[in-house]
Amino acid sequence: MLRVALLGAGRIGQVHAKSMTATTASRLVAVADVNAEAAQDLAARIGAEACSVDQIIADPSIDAVLIATSTDTHSDLITRATAAGKAVLCEKPVDLSLDRALATLKAAEATGQPVMIGFNRRFDPSFKALKAAFDGGEIGRGELLSITSFDPAPPPVSYIKVSGGLFRDMMIHDFDMACWIFGGAPATVSAQGAALVDPAIGDAGDVDTAVVTLVWDDGRMAVIRNSRRAGYGYDQRVEVLGSGGLLSANNMLENTVEKITTDGAVSAKPLHFFLERYMRAYEDEWTAFLDAVTTGAAMPVTLREGVAALACAEAATRSLKTGATVAITPDMLG
Amino acid sequence: MLRVALLGAGRIGQVHAKSMTATTASRLVAVADVNAEAAQDLAARIGAEACSVDQIIADPSIDAVLIATSTDTHSDLITRATAAGKAVLCEKPVDLSLDRALATLKAAEATGQPVMIGFNRRFDPSFKALKAAFDGGEIGRGELLSITSFDPAPPPVSYIKVSGGLFRDMMIHDFDMACWIFGGAPATVSAQGAALVDPAIGDAGDVDTAVVTLVWDDGRMAVIRNSRRAGYGYDQRVEVLGSGGLLSANNMLENTVEKITTDGAVSAKPLHFFLERYMRAYEDEWTAFLDAVTTGAAMPVTLREGVAALACAEAATRSLKTGATVAITPDMLG
Amino acid sequence: MLRVALLGAGRIGQVHAKSMTATTASRLVAVADVNAEAAQDLAARIGAEACSVDQIIADPSIDAVLIATSTDTHSDLITRATAAGKAVLCEKPVDLSLDRALATLKAAEATGQPVMIGFNRRFDPSFKALKAAFDGGEIGRGELLSITSFDPAPPPVSYIKVSGGLFRDMMIHDFDMACWIFGGAPATVSAQGAALVDPAIGDAGDVDTAVVTLVWDDGRMAVIRNSRRAGYGYDQRVEVLGSGGLLSANNMLENTVEKITTDGAVSAKPLHFFLERYMRAYEDEWTAFLDAVTTGAAMPVTLREGVAALACAEAATRSLKTGATVAITPDMLG
Amino acid sequence: MLRVALLGAGRIGQVHAKSMTATTASRLVAVADVNAEAAQDLAARIGAEACSVDQIIADPSIDAVLIATSTDTHSDLITRATAAGKAVLCEKPVDLSLDRALATLKAAEATGQPVMIGFNRRFDPSFKALKAAFDGGEIGRGELLSITSFDPAPPPVSYIKVSGGLFRDMMIHDFDMACWIFGGAPATVSAQGAALVDPAIGDAGDVDTAVVTLVWDDGRMAVIRNSRRAGYGYDQRVEVLGSGGLLSANNMLENTVEKITTDGAVSAKPLHFFLERYMRAYEDEWTAFLDAVTTGAAMPVTLREGVAALACAEAATRSLKTGATVAITPDMLG
């Protein structure tokens, strides 16, 4: 059984704490947070100890850490934890700065320690089934990938301001999905976007609605649609057109009830948000991390892949500004 | 926190053990089984004590028991546990003998102890949503209820022989669903059935495929379709036609992936069997029981309702034999 | 090109007139109706002649007649038209009296003239595809057939009174579907029904909601659900459980639009009534009749099959009265 | 009743001939084609006269013409027919040259004759229902429109070479749909594309798979996905995300049959191609044209709108070449 620690006791940290305590393959022994009270509360609830980050990193009995702190601390914590000989599962994105993420990649790879980035959607049962069918050649060669990713409501503008922007904060998931499904990284990125949901988001220099097209070297394309506000819930769909057919993974609904009256047929909305939709994915993500650490197998999502998603976000940001297609160059991928 | 014990450490007992240990509202302290080794194994895994049934019933510190033993012991255990002042959650069916079930009802009601019957489907999120919509008048007055309940594969014939027959063993769930949704009990029962899946089931005096029509006093009808073998999985659907429209609760699928090729569009099968489909329902059933015990509220599924479902099964058995519609008389309902 | 005549210029006659004039394989030359004005109006619109029934039957240049008059005239017209050497397509039901229908069968068969009964649903593209898949063995041996057939609104009570009752007037279609899909005729019929939609229908001695179970000699079962009022439209579904899976044919919707808001996902209702749903089926029915007449092939729906459906209706009527299962005896099938 | 003529007796001309002869509001009196035999064949079948284009345009008794000739003749025929005082329904696209189309627009508008462009998809019942719901404010203000338009198989490369390219030949429909739904014309166009289906299409200087993003002045976006080969059929979907929800119009399927076995649930493919999917739309298009001509109401699709779609195609072509976003300037819209 691996002895593990959780860095970050906020909302997403608490989500992870559930998975970390549900399995018998790891024992969550320590929790750290800049807010000491939050760490103590969570630690008490799950029978762990509240510690400082320094204590955890210095503790040789701790095998692995899950980093769920604010994004600006990720690079530093990955670097320090791997240097201390620990396996790392770090929340997305790696960093808001591609340069810093590249430096972190270099440092972490030098330690030989396994690092996984928390792209939870790869562990969603439907997306996994789509990926397996696609890799199994069920629709032939991939041609056109489409990813829809709409949130039910935008975060506060205060969050938007420090988020790194829609491409680094939200679409980063979809960049990873696209690279995961098609393999490698795209050659070019073209972005269009606007603040249609809330002008305050535009005033903060960000967009809340965007369409980004990725093109691979061999011409395959992926188009990603993001909105910060779908209203009806969390809209998470993936569709791949291949030479032999179409694969799609659709939303999960709140229930299977349908009502037909003179007003038409009414069925349930999609599951509300990421906690509802991806609860199972978070659990499977943690298990997959433990499995890889224990067996020494390759990480299911590598730090290098986390950097590639960030490179897409960087390119999209530039494309949106210039109105031109931006190339992803090898130096952006580390 | 209620101190609770589990009687029966077989397959369904282990399912309940999960729910019983997942909540902080109860503490599972003891496990009993006629197979002492099974009780010890399970007890060890969950940190409880393996005891005899007698020890558990005699232990005043135990507030409630969950009865998941073989059906022929249900009546006796309900009677003894309630007499000992314990709250009871008992698996379906109450008994294979309606007479014995009626006696148990009388005895248990005399103690004033709360007894709940484990009709887990009432706690399925989709069926709950359908029931809520129906009770909310969303399709007006109910007219015709249809319940589809197909298992993926028949149990061994050895089990069939002691099961009490399809109506008491399998359709008992659907009788309860019908009574729950429409309220009260039907006035008459008409049954048709045959052994189409496996002649050995016919040789054992049972049917594996059946259609039963229930008619309420005011003319409302419910039709139940059962098959022991749907092959493609667990098919669990409910549909209500009302004066203002139609409500249906459909199957939950393994995933949301669809593949379209020249062969058509392929999507996932229903979740395989009751463990997959009703996992969440089992958890919510236990929580609902604990809530009712703690607050003194009415049981979500009463022993009396368990008897009513058995009365339907009894009537269906007679109808199948005679080819005639059979009335449910007041004495059959206790 | 066949020279054909239409007997009956009412609603359903006008539906047939469309198909009869749309094809180049027949020429609609004459129209008759007890209401001479109705015959003249229709004849004028389609460039045919308004005649009396006697004139049409006496006219040797007319090869075939479509009988769309009131049900009480069917037997007589079939008998006279076949005796006059004409091919006949007659609307369902053959008759309200099984005895009379049997006599008509005997008389018509003696002439050797081809007679088809207008069970239009057999020509619906979805039901045809289901039947083809079933006959192709795609779900193995049939076990349990389910037919749902709800009208959007009941006809006037004045019509109900002369309709022969729900089983002969409405469920006759479903009896035919069951016999068509499973082959042959059932061994027994069990019926339940009530007047839930409109008490006046009950006062007229009929039911408006019914469940009928048919059992074949080998144990295969079919359950038919009828309601005179679904409100949301015409609900026409068929489902077959076989040893290897499930086949279902579902409703056609008004359009494919879906709207998702916080209130859920709303999609279109089923097509409103039989004219919308079965327009294509009526056209294909007429073409199939012409093909069979021209090539001398077997009729797609025989008079004998029309009698079998009526025998089921007769048995259901008796079962509803007695509460007992009623056998279909060979003498009921002619 | 309008006297009308058909210019062009090829595949699409024959489709229109059906609609033109099915209604009593117009009488198709003349057919012309560069292939005299084709014109004679069609004319004979429908009881019209085969004439030359010149004869038709010179014939003052002909009120309207439907132009279904090859694209390179559209501008000239629109100009001559309107100059001759005839109403015109012309197949898409107006022209392959935006300059020529603009000149035609100027000339035709000067005559005051009504001209409609045959964007048949606007008359599809599902797209019409979506448009009506959107215009009715059912999902609030539009934000992100998505159009999927995949053909079952690419045309011959010989056709591709004279087609004007995917944007002018195929995506022209989707440009029109986007402008129709969102109103007006986009401010900018960004295109990505590749020859993934057939390298010969690439060798011919065209693409067969493309993603184009349109941005309106106020930030609203539309993304169009095209593929020349979906394999499974004609994939025609529209989706609009608005401030209050999502509207989508999905494919129509060949039938409503579903088969569930251990291999999953199989349902029908989309209707094969445009003739199957849009048969009804072609009929309604013709009726709408006749209505507008007769009543003097505005054309349901104006020549000016046909030019706007072509301007989008022109911009997309340039964007694909340069990798930059291209603005639609007022001079491009006439």
Side-chain angles (χ1 to χ4, degrees):
Chain A
M1 186 189 277
L2 288 180
R3 288 170 54 84
V4 301
L6 172 63
L7 311 186
R11 185 171 64 161
I12 194 66
Q14 294 179 37
V15 170
H16 286 299
K18 250 193 215 174
S19 308
M20 297 170 92
T21 52
T23 174
T24 56
S26 65
R27 188 161 161 237
L28 177 47
V29 295
V31 176
D33 198 285
V34 287
N35 177 337
E37 203 177 336
Q40 276 155 9
D41 278 5
L42 179 58
R45 255 184 298 149
I46 59 176
E49 210 176 337
C51 304
S52 72
V53 165
D54 290 348
Q55 285 173 315
I56 286 170
I57 286 178
D59 182 346
S61 82
I62 289 178
D63 302 303
V65 297
L66 190 156
I67 302 174
T69 52
S70 64
T71 299
D72 58 347
T73 66
H74 288 179
S75 275
D76 180 52
L77 291 175
I78 292 172
T79 306
R80 288 171 61 198
T82 52
K86 297 186 194 322
V88 171
L89 170 51
C90 181
E91 261 299 325
K92 48 63 44 180
V94 176
D95 202 298
L96 295 184
S97 151
L98 179 57
D99 285 344
R100 219 155 40 213
L102 286 164
T104 301
L105 173 64
K106 206 168 170 186
E109 288 193 346
T111 70
Q113 285 302 315
V115 179
M116 174 167 158
I117 301 303
F119 284 121
N120 56 311
R121 295 181 194 179
R122 293 200 193 186
F123 301 93
D124 174 75
S126 293
F127 294 150
K128 272 167 71 176
L130 176 143
K131 168 73 170 160
F134 180 64
D135 286 353
E138 296 188 22
I139 56 158
R141 202 173 62 91
E143 292 171 355
L144 179 51
L145 170 63
S146 305
I147 301 177
T148 303
S149 187
F150 300 159
D151 280 358
V157 173
S158 57
Y159 173 84
I160 295 276
K161 284 178 179 162
V162 300
S163 69
L166 180 128
F167 298 129
R168 290 187 188 90
D169 176 56
M170 180 174 171
M171 201 180 280
I172 191 90
H173 275 295
D174 308 299
F175 290 132
D176 179 64
M177 287 292 282
C179 295
W180 176 53
I181 292 173
F182 265 0
T188 66
V189 178
S190 314
Q192 305 289 334
L196 299 174
V197 171
D198 185 353
I201 291 177
D203 294 345
D206 201 1
V207 295
D208 51 36
T209 311
V211 175
V212 171
T213 307
L214 312 175
V215 184
W216 266 250
D217 261 338
D218 56 5
R220 283 173 302 154
M221 279 168 271
V223 59
I224 301 171
R225 300 184 300 151
N226 266 194
S227 168
R228 288 283 193 186
R229 189 266 324 273
Y232 53 86
Y234 197 44
D235 195 339
Q236 300 275 299
R237 289 172 279 156
V238 170
E239 187 177 305
V240 198
L241 176 69
S243 54
L246 187 86
L247 276 170
S248 60
N250 297 301
N251 287 310
M252 294 174 67
L253 307 184
E254 290 172 341
N255 59 55
T256 67
V257 174
E258 187 184 55
K259 177 177 68 174
I260 316 186
T261 67
T262 49
D263 296 332
V266 185
S267 49
K269 296 190 298 286
L271 289 172
H272 182 62
F273 205 4
F274 69 98
L275 289 185
E276 289 83 6
R277 165 70 190 255
Y278 292 125
M279 183 48 69
R280 166 92 184 275
Y282 280 114
E283 289 169 22
D284 290 354
E285 176 185 273
W286 180 245
T287 307
F289 171 71
L290 291 180
D291 279 358
V293 171
T294 308
T295 63
M299 278 289 137
V301 192
T302 65
L303 177 53
R304 185 167 285 277
E305 290 173 319
V307 169
L310 191 60
C312 292
E314 181 87 10
T317 307
R318 269 193 266 153
S319 173
L320 183 65
K321 269 191 198 137
T322 62
T325 298
V326 172
I328 304 266
T329 50
D331 59 291
M332 294 170 77
L333 300 170
Chain B
M1 184 190 283
L2 288 179
R3 287 170 55 85
V4 300
L6 173 63
L7 310 187
R11 186 171 63 162
I12 194 67
Q14 294 179 36
V15 170
H16 286 298
K18 249 192 218 174
S19 309
M20 298 170 92
T21 52
T23 174
T24 55
S26 65
R27 188 161 159 235
L28 177 48
V29 295
V31 175
D33 199 286
V34 286
N35 177 337
E37 204 178 335
Q40 276 155 10
D41 278 4
L42 179 57
R45 255 184 297 148
I46 59 176
E49 209 175 337
C51 303
S52 71
V53 164
D54 290 349
Q55 287 173 315
I56 287 169
I57 286 177
D59 182 346
S61 80
I62 291 178
D63 303 302
V65 296
L66 189 155
I67 302 175
T69 52
S70 62
T71 300
D72 58 348
T73 65
H74 288 180
S75 274
D76 180 53
L77 291 175
I78 293 170
T79 306
R80 290 170 61 197
T82 50
K86 299 186 194 321
V88 172
L89 170 52
C90 181
E91 261 300 324
K92 45 63 50 182
V94 176
D95 203 298
L96 296 184
S97 152
L98 179 58
D99 285 344
R100 218 155 43 214
L102 286 164
T104 301
L105 173 64
K106 206 169 169 185
E109 288 193 345
T111 69
Q113 287 302 314
V115 179
M116 173 167 159
I117 301 302
F119 284 122
N120 56 310
R121 295 182 193 176
R122 293 201 193 184
F123 302 93
D124 174 76
S126 293
F127 294 150
K128 273 167 72 176
L130 177 143
K131 169 73 170 158
F134 180 64
D135 286 352
E138 297 189 21
I139 57 159
R141 202 174 61 93
E143 292 170 354
L144 178 51
L145 169 63
S146 305
I147 301 178
T148 304
S149 186
F150 300 159
D151 279 359
V157 173
S158 57
Y159 172 84
I160 296 276
K161 284 178 179 162
V162 300
S163 70
L166 181 128
F167 298 128
R168 291 186 187 90
D169 176 56
M170 180 174 170
M171 201 180 280
I172 192 89
H173 276 295
D174 308 300
F175 290 132
D176 179 64
M177 287 292 285
C179 295
W180 176 53
I181 293 173
F182 266 179
T188 66
V189 179
S190 315
Q192 305 291 334
L196 299 173
V197 171
D198 185 353
I201 291 176
D203 294 345
D206 200 2
V207 296
D208 51 36
T209 310
V211 175
V212 171
T213 307
L214 313 174
V215 183
W216 267 250
D217 261 339
D218 56 5
R220 284 173 301 154
M221 279 168 272
V223 59
I224 301 172
R225 300 184 301 151
N226 266 195
S227 168
R228 287 281 193 187
R229 190 265 324 275
Y232 52 86
Y234 198 44
D235 195 338
Q236 300 276 300
R237 289 172 280 157
V238 170
E239 189 176 303
V240 199
L241 177 68
S243 54
L246 187 86
L247 275 171
S248 60
N250 297 301
N251 286 309
M252 294 174 65
L253 307 184
E254 291 172 339
N255 59 56
T256 66
V257 174
E258 187 184 55
K259 177 176 67 173
I260 316 185
T261 67
T262 49
D263 295 331
V266 185
S267 49
K269 295 191 297 287
L271 289 173
H272 181 61
F273 206 1
F274 69 98
L275 289 185
E276 290 83 5
R277 166 70 191 255
Y278 293 124
M279 183 48 70
R280 166 91 183 275
Y282 280 113
E283 290 169 22
D284 290 355
E285 176 186 270
W286 180 246
T287 308
F289 171 71
L290 292 179
D291 280 358
V293 172
T294 308
T295 63
M299 278 289 137
V301 192
T302 65
L303 177 53
R304 186 168 284 276
E305 289 173 319
V307 169
L310 192 59
C312 292
E314 181 86 10
T317 307
R318 268 193 268 154
S319 172
L320 182 64
K321 267 191 201 138
T322 61
T325 298
V326 172
I328 304 265
T329 49
D331 59 290
M332 294 170 76
L333 299 169
Chain C
M1 185 190 279
L2 288 179
R3 287 171 56 85
V4 300
L6 172 64
L7 311 186
R11 186 171 63 161
I12 194 66
Q14 293 178 37
V15 170
H16 286 298
K18 248 190 217 176
S19 309
M20 295 170 94
T21 51
T23 174
T24 55
S26 64
R27 187 159 161 239
L28 178 47
V29 294
V31 177
D33 199 286
V34 287
N35 178 337
E37 202 179 337
Q40 275 155 8
D41 277 5
L42 179 58
R45 254 184 299 148
I46 60 178
E49 208 177 337
C51 304
S52 73
V53 165
D54 290 348
Q55 287 173 312
I56 287 170
I57 286 176
D59 182 346
S61 81
I62 290 178
D63 303 301
V65 296
L66 192 154
I67 303 174
T69 52
S70 64
T71 300
D72 57 349
T73 65
H74 288 181
S75 275
D76 179 53
L77 292 176
I78 292 172
T79 306
R80 291 171 59 199
T82 52
K86 299 188 193 321
V88 172
L89 169 52
C90 181
E91 261 299 325
K92 45 62 51 180
V94 176
D95 203 300
L96 296 184
S97 150
L98 179 57
D99 286 343
R100 218 156 40 215
L102 286 164
T104 301
L105 173 64
K106 207 168 165 186
E109 288 192 346
T111 70
Q113 286 302 315
V115 179
M116 174 168 158
I117 301 303
F119 284 122
N120 57 311
R121 295 182 194 176
R122 294 201 192 185
F123 302 93
D124 174 75
S126 294
F127 295 150
K128 271 167 71 175
L130 177 143
K131 169 73 169 159
F134 180 64
D135 286 352
E138 296 189 22
I139 58 159
R141 203 174 61 90
E143 291 171 356
L144 179 50
L145 170 63
S146 305
I147 300 178
T148 303
S149 187
F150 300 159
D151 279 358
V157 173
S158 57
Y159 173 84
I160 296 274
K161 283 177 179 163
V162 299
S163 70
L166 181 127
F167 298 129
R168 289 187 189 91
D169 175 56
M170 178 175 173
M171 201 180 279
I172 192 90
H173 276 294
D174 308 300
F175 290 132
D176 180 64
M177 287 291 283
C179 295
W180 176 54
I181 293 173
F182 266 180
T188 67
V189 178
S190 314
Q192 306 290 333
L196 299 173
V197 171
D198 185 353
I201 292 176
D203 293 345
D206 201 1
V207 295
D208 51 35
T209 310
V211 175
V212 170
T213 307
L214 312 174
V215 183
W216 266 250
D217 260 339
D218 56 5
R220 284 173 301 155
M221 278 167 271
V223 58
I224 300 171
R225 302 183 300 151
N226 266 194
S227 168
R228 287 281 192 187
R229 191 265 325 272
Y232 51 86
Y234 197 44
D235 195 338
Q236 300 277 300
R237 289 173 279 155
V238 170
E239 187 177 304
V240 198
L241 176 69
S243 55
L246 187 86
L247 276 170
S248 59
N250 298 300
N251 286 311
M252 292 174 68
L253 307 184
E254 290 172 339
N255 60 55
T256 68
V257 174
E258 187 184 56
K259 177 176 69 173
I260 316 185
T261 67
T262 51
D263 295 331
V266 185
S267 47
K269 296 192 296 287
L271 288 173
H272 181 62
F273 205 2
F274 69 99
L275 288 186
E276 290 83 5
R277 167 68 189 258
Y278 293 124
M279 184 47 70
R280 166 91 182 273
Y282 280 113
E283 290 169 22
D284 290 354
E285 177 185 271
W286 179 247
T287 306
F289 171 72
L290 292 180
D291 280 357
V293 171
T294 309
T295 64
M299 279 288 136
V301 192
T302 65
L303 176 54
R304 186 167 285 276
E305 290 173 319
V307 169
L310 191 61
C312 293
E314 181 88 9
T317 307
R318 271 193 266 152
S319 173
L320 183 65
K321 269 191 199 138
T322 63
T325 297
V326 172
I328 303 266
T329 50
D331 59 291
M332 295 169 75
L333 299 169
Chain D
M1 184 189 281
L2 288 180
R3 288 170 54 85
V4 301
L6 172 63
L7 311 186
R11 185 170 64 161
I12 194 66
Q14 294 179 36
V15 169
H16 287 298
K18 250 191 216 175
S19 309
M20 296 170 93
T21 51
T23 174
T24 55
S26 64
R27 184 156 165 243
L28 178 47
V29 294
V31 176
D33 198 285
V34 287
N35 179 336
E37 203 179 337
Q40 274 153 10
D41 277 4
L42 180 57
R45 256 184 298 149
I46 59 178
E49 207 176 339
C51 303
S52 73
V53 165
D54 289 349
Q55 287 173 313
I56 287 170
I57 286 177
D59 182 345
S61 80
I62 291 178
D63 303 301
V65 297
L66 190 155
I67 303 174
T69 52
S70 64
T71 299
D72 58 347
T73 65
H74 288 181
S75 276
D76 180 52
L77 292 175
I78 293 171
T79 306
R80 290 172 59 199
T82 52
K86 298 185 192 323
V88 172
L89 169 51
C90 181
E91 261 299 324
K92 48 60 51 180
V94 176
D95 202 299
L96 296 183
S97 151
L98 179 57
D99 285 344
R100 220 155 40 213
L102 286 164
T104 302
L105 173 64
K106 207 169 167 184
E109 289 193 345
T111 69
Q113 286 302 314
V115 179
M116 173 168 159
I117 301 302
F119 284 121
N120 57 311
R121 296 182 193 177
R122 294 199 191 186
F123 302 92
D124 174 76
S126 294
F127 294 150
K128 271 167 71 175
L130 176 142
K131 169 73 170 160
F134 180 64
D135 286 352
E138 296 190 22
I139 57 159
R141 203 173 60 92
E143 291 170 356
L144 178 51
L145 169 63
S146 305
I147 301 177
T148 303
S149 187
F150 301 160
D151 280 358
V157 172
S158 57
Y159 173 83
I160 295 276
K161 283 178 179 162
V162 300
S163 70
L166 180 127
F167 298 129
R168 288 187 188 90
D169 175 56
M170 179 175 172
M171 200 180 279
I172 192 91
H173 276 294
D174 308 299
F175 290 132
D176 179 64
M177 288 290 285
C179 295
W180 177 53
I181 294 173
F182 266 179
T188 67
V189 178
S190 315
Q192 305 290 332
L196 299 173
V197 170
D198 185 352
I201 292 176
D203 294 345
D206 201 0
V207 295
D208 51 36
T209 311
V211 175
V212 170
T213 307
L214 312 175
V215 183
W216 266 250
D217 260 338
D218 56 5
R220 283 173 301 154
M221 278 167 273
V223 58
I224 300 170
R225 300 183 301 150
N226 266 195
S227 168
R228 287 281 193 186
R229 191 264 326 273
Y232 52 87
Y234 197 44
D235 195 339
Q236 300 276 300
R237 290 173 278 157
V238 170
E239 187 177 305
V240 198
L241 176 69
S243 55
L246 186 85
L247 276 170
S248 59
N250 297 300
N251 286 309
M252 293 174 66
L253 307 185
E254 290 172 340
N255 60 55
T256 67
V257 174
E258 187 184 54
K259 177 176 68 174
I260 317 186
T261 67
T262 51
D263 295 331
V266 185
S267 49
K269 297 192 295 288
L271 288 174
H272 182 61
F273 205 2
F274 68 99
L275 289 186
E276 290 84 5
R277 166 69 190 256
Y278 292 124
M279 183 48 69
R280 166 91 184 273
Y282 280 113
E283 290 168 22
D284 290 354
E285 177 186 272
W286 180 246
T287 307
F289 171 72
L290 292 180
D291 279 358
V293 172
T294 309
T295 64
M299 279 288 137
V301 191
T302 65
L303 177 54
R304 187 167 284 277
E305 289 172 319
V307 169
L310 190 61
C312 293
E314 180 88 10
T317 307
R318 269 193 266 153
S319 173
L320 183 65
K321 268 193 198 134
T322 60
T325 297
V326 171
I328 303 265
T329 49
D331 58 291
M332 295 169 75
L333 299 169

